Amino acid sequence: MSAGKLNILIEQNATFNKVLTIYSTGTTPLNLTGKTLRGQIRYNMQDAEPAATFTFTPANQLTDPGVCSMLIPAGVTKNLKQSKGYYDVELVDGGTVTRLLEGQVFISLGATQS
C-alpha cells in the first residue's frame, strides 16, 4: 500500500489539529489499539532535525475505530519560520512501519507575535 497524498496548511502561532480516520482496507476502519502513530515536518528532506513533530491522540477505538487527532500546539507552530516544508505520518505496529500519509506543508506566517 502506498502512502496517501495530502498537502496541509499550518498557521503560525495557532494550534494545528486535524482529525484523521485510518482504514485497514476499503471502508473498514483500522483499530489503533496497541499501535503507534508518528510524524514530523522538515523544511528540507535532508534536514537532520525536524521543524516540528506531530502528537497523535486516538479516539475511543470501541466507538470510533481508526479515528485519531494529529496535533501541533501553538507554542510549537510559533517557531515555524519558513513558508513551506514536507511531512509524513507513519503507523508502527510491532516491528512493521507503514507510511500512511505524506505531502507538503504550507505555513501561513503570522503577523501577531506573543
Side-chain angles (χ1 to χ4, degrees):
M1 170 175 86
S2 60
K5 310 286 188 217
L6 178 68
N7 295 334
I8 58 176
L9 173 69
I10 295 178
E11 296 172 326
Q12 186 184 43
N13 304 318
T15 300
F16 173 81
N17 190 9
K18 180 155 188 64
V19 175
L20 302 176
T21 303
I22 300 164
Y23 296 93
S24 59
T25 56
T27 59
T28 304
L30 176 67
N31 187 314
L32 299 174
T33 303
K35 298 168 181 57
T36 303
L37 291 163
R38 63 186 184 193
Q40 296 179 335
I41 296 172
R42 294 182 192 277
Y43 295 125
N44 298 294
M45 295 301 279
Q46 67 273 16
D47 289 350
E49 295 296 322
T53 299
F54 296 104
T55 300
F56 295 90
T57 305
N60 181 325
Q61 295 300 290
L62 295 176
T63 58
D64 295 310
V67 176
C68 70
S69 157
M70 180 169 88
L71 175 84
I72 300 177
V76 174
T77 67
K78 76 176 186 177
N79 295 319
L80 296 175
K81 303 297 184 198
Q82 290 184 213
S83 60
K84 185 177 164 189
Y86 304 90
Y87 83 99
D88 62 17
V89 173
E90 297 176 336
L91 173 75
V92 181
D93 185 4
T96 303
V97 178
T98 305
R99 186 181 304 168
L100 298 175
L101 203 55
E102 64 185 17
Q104 293 184 328
V105 176
F106 298 96
I107 301 160
S108 174
L109 300 177
T112 302
Q113 303 295 318
S114 55

